[in-house]
Structures are given as structure tokens and as C-alpha cells.
Amino acid sequence: MTQFKKALFVVGPTASGKSAFAHTLVERQRELGCAFELVNIDAFQFYRGVSIGTAKPSPEELQKYKYHGVDILDVTETIDAARYAEFVWTTCQEVNARGAVPICVGGSGLYLRAALHGLDALPPRNDSLREMFRASAVAWGWPELHRWLSALAPIRAAELHPNDKTRIERALEIAFQLPEGVTLDSILSKSARLSEQTSVGDAFLIHVDCSDEVLKERIYKRLHNMFEQGWVAEVESLQARFGQSFTSTQSFRAIGYPAIWSWLQEFGNCSEASGSNFKVTKKAEVDLLKVIATQTWQYVRRQRTWNAKEQKDWLVDSTYWNGTTLQFIDKFVDFLSK
RNA sequence: GGCGCUUUAGCUCAGUCGGUAGAGCAGUAGACUGAAAAUCUACGUGUCCCCAGUUCGAUUCUGGGAGGCGCCA
């Protein structure tokens, strides 16, 4: 199975310099003798309206670097790992057909694995089933649903903790939709773990990371900058447009949005606390930034845990990198000239 | 100055009717097959503010001291 001929994947924790790295590659494409186009593989930059907090490239950058996959969905829409992987593959094929090499930038663990290794053919998401499971969980608790799963798919159930609601729900959703005589265990037993499967195309993985100290500093500065750019005002406008229903959208799960939302509930009434006046000077504002910085760092830890298991063709330490100069490695040049 | 409350983990605080203590958050590590920036798991020795007294034994009771908060002056 080949979903793309040749693609670069730039992965690494938030604020490590992935985008700057990818942009530099595009700047120097002539020297490398090939054309590049960028494919967003970030789980939240798909959505129009959540822009500042998701660190989207600017409109000029979107055009200059030929980005695909940014602002393709409304904030009220939802994409899932399977549809996401399809999108990446289709886009890569189109880019390949133009004789260019796609650079997929971003990478949230599951989404990267889905794009890189492909998910098994399993029944899709089913919201009415999910509602039913959730209602049952309210009545009986997730450990009880875990017991139901043990009856339907004992091997899968044994892999899951009784409190792991997200995965128990998904496993039950699959089991309920499979045709008679087919079990989730029988499907999963045929394939290796996702991280151990080979890539579904010719992929070159570049990991960008830097020292903890520098990364923490960059995160803090970047968040500060997001506030200066009007992040709080952005959330206020989402509040005005969608009201409470925004809190149940997929895009609301992006780091920072729930925190700013509750901050607005608490302080938003004071006229001077409105989004456009947000300056990160008062204690409440500094506290908000700190909470989001903490959540971002926790995310960095999880990203590194994911990335540790993926192939590494090129490790880039961005600790002292200024975002422009780059020394190409032979392996990389060989991959491009193949 | 007087009165009251308070001092326990990095932070916010429980608690021990006297036998040296535990939650949440933070931190560290791990997992991850259609919510994934989500979700889940594991990991807890700290002069229990200081000094003295009572006691076999005090973080706990008594007295004094110091810091913090509040009210009255």
C-alpha cells in the first residue's frame, strides 16, 4: 500500500521551531533542486476561527509557503484521525503529481501515526452509540462498560484500564458495528501496533527539538505574544458568535481556549478586562498565562513520549538555531534526489 | 496597642479524641488504532513555624515567642 510517493514529516514539540525549519527548507528549495509544498498536520489549524491560539501561519506565510490544510473546516465541524489521514494522503498525492515534495508539519501523536502507518479498516465514529454508552456510564460507571467490553473483545479489554473512557467507548463503538461473526480482537490480532508498522509511503522523518530551558522560554514568549495579538478578543468573538455551544466543539479542546473561556466568565464583565484590552499585566492575567504555559508544557511531555517511538531520519537540535541557517545532511539530500 | 483566626508536601489545604501524616494541583515517567492540544495509568520522608512544659511518647494538649490575615482602637 502506497499512499504517497515521497514526503517529509517535520515533527517535534510545540514551539520547538518546526515551522521555521520547514520555511527554511522552502526558502532553499532551488539549492536542493526540488520544489516543496507544506501540508499542515496539526489537529487544530484545520479550523477557521481558532487562529491565534493554534499558532497558525500568517495569511502571507500561507501563500508564500504553499500551505495545505489550514482553515479548511468551520469551528463547529469535526475531523477524526481517519479522515485526517485521508486528507494528508490525498494532498500528498496531489503535491507529488505536481513533481513537488510535500513537507508535513505539525504532528499530534495519533494523527501522525494515522498518516504515517494508516489505521486498520474499522467501523467509523458513531455519535448515537457514543451517547448511549455515555448514558450507561453515568448510571453504571466506566468500569462496568469495561466489563461489557471484556465479553465482546477480551483481548482489547485487557489492554485498557477500566477508567479509560475514551478508548472503552471507541472499542465498544467498533464492537457494536461489526458484522456477525467478526470481533474486534480478531481484526486487531492480524496487525501489529501502529508504531511498529511500516510507513504507507516513502517518508523521511525530521525531529526538531531543543533544551527544556530554551523551550520553556519560547513557550512563554509565544503565549505572551498570542495575548498581545488579541487571543482573548478572539475567544470573546467566538463566545458572541456561538455562545455556550462553542464549548462542545472539537476546536474548543485546543490548549488555552477553555482556560480563556472560564477566565472571561470570571473577569470578562469588567469593561477594562475585555479582550482587546488584555495586556498581561494584572495578576489575574499573568495567572491565566501561567496556567496555559503549564498545560502547554504538559503537552510537550506527551508529544515527546509519542515521538520517541517513531522513526528518526534526521534529528535537529534547535536550541541555538536562529531559524535561517541549515546544514543539510547527506541522508536528506539522497532522499530528495532519489 | 487590644481581641479573634491562622502557620502541615513546590502551591492550596485536610487530618491526627496524644503513638511522627494525606488529598487536589504542580512535578517526573509511561500508555495510546476515528475526541488526541483529548484521555488514561504509575510514582508521596515533609525540621507538621520556634522554644519550654505535661507525658513512656507531642505535629496534636498547656504556656511563651515569631510570621501572616481580619476586626476594634
Side-chain angles (χ1 to χ4, degrees), chain A residues 117-321:
Chain A
H117 309 289
L119 301 175
D120 283 322
L122 292 167
R125 171 175 174 148
N126 181 319
D127 287 313
S128 56
L129 278 176
R130 288 188 182 195
E131 256 175 63
M132 189 186 94
F133 298 141
R134 278 170 214 183
S136 309
V138 170
W140 311 101
W142 284 103
E144 181 59 26
L145 298 223
H146 183 254
R147 255 167 258 135
W148 298 1
L149 182 64
S150 300
L152 297 164
I155 300 173
R156 181 59 179 154
E159 289 168 353
L160 301 179
H161 191 277
N163 292 339
D164 196 347
K165 55 186 172 217
T166 306
R167 292 183 188 79
I168 294 168
E169 180 179 75
R170 172 63 185 151
L172 284 171
E173 169 184 73
I174 296 169
F176 273 56
Q177 294 183 93
L178 286 172
E180 200 74 32
V182 184
T183 65
L184 174 57
D185 284 348
S186 69
I187 297 173
L188 292 179
S189 68
K190 287 182 199 126
S191 49
R193 300 181 145 201
L194 231 43
S195 59
E196 286 153 14
Q197 292 179 14
T198 50
S199 168
V200 295
D202 197 4
F204 189 91
L205 250 78
I206 302 163
H207 288 238
V208 181
D209 205 342
C210 67
S211 76
D212 290 4
E213 204 182 23
V214 169
L215 192 56
K216 280 177 183 168
E217 203 179 298
R218 282 183 196 161
I219 287 170
Y220 200 84
K221 275 188 191 149
R222 187 160 88 161
L223 289 174
H224 199 96
N225 202 259
M226 287 171 173
F227 281 117
E228 299 277 297
Q229 283 172 9
W231 194 5
V232 176
E234 181 181 280
V235 178
E236 266 186 330
S237 83
L238 290 163
Q239 202 170 41
R241 271 169 69 199
F242 303 103
Q244 194 63 32
S245 70
F246 175 58
T247 61
S248 49
T249 64
Q250 198 75 273
S251 40
F252 182 70
R253 292 166 188 270
I255 288 173
Y257 288 86
I260 294 175
W261 184 277
S262 1
W263 186 88
L264 283 168
Q265 303 287 316
E266 195 175 347
F267 303 102
N269 296 336
C270 336
S271 59
E272 53 181 299
S274 86
S276 44
N277 288 329
F278 196 93
K279 280 282 185 270
V280 201
T281 46
K282 294 200 204 76
K283 187 178 181 301
E285 298 169 355
V286 173
D287 285 350
L288 174 63
L289 190 145
K290 280 186 187 161
V291 165
I292 298 175
T294 297
Q295 291 171 352
T296 307
W297 185 251
Q298 292 170 334
Y299 175 50
V300 165
R301 310 298 315 207
R302 275 176 278 138
Q303 284 179 301
R304 284 177 170 168
T305 306
W306 276 102
N307 293 340
K309 284 205 168 180
E310 293 301 332
Q311 82 188 68
K312 292 169 193 67
D313 298 308
W314 188 6
L315 290 170
V316 177
D317 182 350
S318 67
T319 306
Y320 304 108
W321 187 51

Side-chain angles (χ1 to χ4, degrees), chain A residues 39-58:
Chain A
V39 183
N40 163 50
I41 57 168
D42 184 284
F44 289 94
Q45 292 184 6
F46 289 115
Y47 305 103
R48 288 184 286 267
V50 287
S51 300
I52 298 173
T54 59
K56 265 182 211 165
S58 68

Side-chain angles (χ1 to χ4, degrees), chain A residues 46-82:
Chain A
F46 289 115
Y47 305 103
R48 288 184 286 267
V50 287
S51 300
I52 298 173
T54 59
K56 265 182 211 165
S58 68
E60 299 78 53
E61 288 174 323
L62 288 177
Q63 210 170 22
K64 182 177 176 191
Y65 298 112
K66 294 186 180 157
Y67 265 93
H68 301 279
V70 175
D71 286 341
I72 54 170
L73 297 173
D74 275 327
V75 278
T76 48
E77 293 181 287
T78 297
I79 194 163
D80 60 49

